[in-house]
Amino acid sequence: MCGRFSITLPSDAMAQLFAAQPDNDLPGVPDYNVCPTNRIHAITGGEAAPRRLTAMRWGFLPHWYKKTNGGPLLINARGETIAEKPAFRSAVRQRRAIVVATGFYEWTRTPEGERDPWHIFASDGAPLAMAAIWQDWTGPEGETLRTCALVTTAANKTMSRIHHRMPVILAPDDWPLWLGEAGQGAARLMAAATEDALDMYRVDRQVNSNRAKGPGLTEPV
DNA sequence: CCAGACGTTGTT
DNA sequence: GTCTGG
DNA sequence: CCAGACGTTGTT
DNA sequence: GTCTGG
């Protein structure tokens, strides 16, 4: 679940929305087809640290991976088990972030096995604040990557129409707690959004290709 | 002790 | 079937 | 996440 | 690096 998304909000508007200081090397927007291993926009914070809008690689690399493909591509982390998993436990305690999106894609399958894509977005039109964890990784030649994974949870009734998992979407009031700016207790935030929070529609199969581009990808069919 | 896993999704 | 690319 | 490659030799 | 299995 949540293996593709769209982002249309300009970086400066993103920085303003989250009251974050933007870095200089942010990914280009709009991007209607953000894929695993791409650079994405993320918000970080903390008790002492100012909020930053920063770029991360979507695909979490535990520090023991020897190569970027030294293990499975970790684009999602299950909220139910994230605190115990060796790969994620220290990140969920110390390095939580918000990944900003306009909407995300999910696929259903026809009886013939074809993939039908859907675009899911906030009912009120606001950008989505997706819960994430991040990890810095250093490769064999000393190269470094700031990597992240999206936290997932069981689908609510609305989403279960198309899929049994969904990303954790954070309401604005919950941003400080998730970012570690408001003490302990972030674990309670790893839950499904309320039933009326998200809306969805079928989009064209052209988004099935990771090379597809353009605003047509999120238009309803 | 050493060796090997460490993860998610979906499908069967 | 499995891995890589995006 | 889905789509597409999955190979060698030699020539441009 | 850290945990599990044997």
Side-chain angles (χ1 to χ4, degrees):
Chain A
M1 73 76 27
C2 209
R4 217 81 80 72
F5 63 88
S6 65
I7 180 66
T8 56
L9 195 68
S11 294
D12 55 357
M14 225 180 276
Q16 195 173 335
L17 177 64
F18 288 91
Q21 189 65 39
D23 283 357
N24 289 323
D25 59 343
L26 295 168
V29 285
D31 187 341
Y32 296 88
N33 197 2
V34 181
C35 299
T37 71
N38 288 175
R39 281 164 22 101
I40 53 82
H41 294 83
I43 305 289
T44 58
E47 293 286 4
R51 275 191 196 172
R52 279 175 67 194
L53 171 59
T54 194
M56 295 187 187
R57 175 205 194 248
W58 184 18
F60 186 103
L61 298 174
H63 60 82
W64 65 80
Y65 274 30
K66 299 278 200 293
K67 312 174 293 177
T68 54
N69 60 354
L73 185 58
L74 305 175
I75 63 172
N76 294 150
R78 291 176 66 92
E80 297 91 332
T81 53
I82 197 170
E84 288 83 43
K85 296 291 182 184
F88 300 141
R89 49 180 299 188
S90 102
V92 77
R93 279 187 274 114
Q94 301 165 22
R95 294 183 304 280
R96 297 186 299 273
I98 290 172
V99 169
V100 191
T102 298
F104 60 93
Y105 298 100
E106 291 290 0
W107 280 260
T108 52
R109 276 180 196 232
T110 66
E112 295 74 36
E114 297 156 313
R115 271 80 164 171
D116 283 337
W118 299 71
H119 189 240
I120 302 99
F121 51 95
S123 315
D124 64 5
L128 297 179
M130 302 192 288
I133 55 174
W134 62 272
Q135 172 77 57
D136 278 335
W137 178 83
T138 303
E141 274 97 54
E143 72 276 29
T144 59
L145 287 174
R146 182 154 291 190
T147 73
C148 67
L150 300 177
V151 180
T152 67
T153 191
N156 63 22
K157 196 178 162 195
T158 308
M159 274 296 302
S160 65
R161 182 156 80 94
I162 57 169
H163 207 74
H164 68 115
R165 303 290 299 169
M166 67 187 289
V168 171
I169 307 295
L170 300 167
D173 286 351
D174 294 331
W175 296 348
L177 186 56
W178 184 256
L179 292 174
E181 299 166 347
Q184 306 296 299
R188 73 166 177 83
L189 302 178
M190 293 189 280
T194 53
E195 298 298 340
D196 60 355
L198 298 174
D199 218 336
M200 66 188 79
Y201 46 64
R202 262 299 313 280
V203 292
D204 195 272
R205 281 190 189 153
Q206 62 181 305
V207 77
N208 290 15
S209 169
N210 54 13
R211 294 162 192 267
K213 286 177 172 33
L217 302 190
T218 56
E219 280 165 20
V221 295

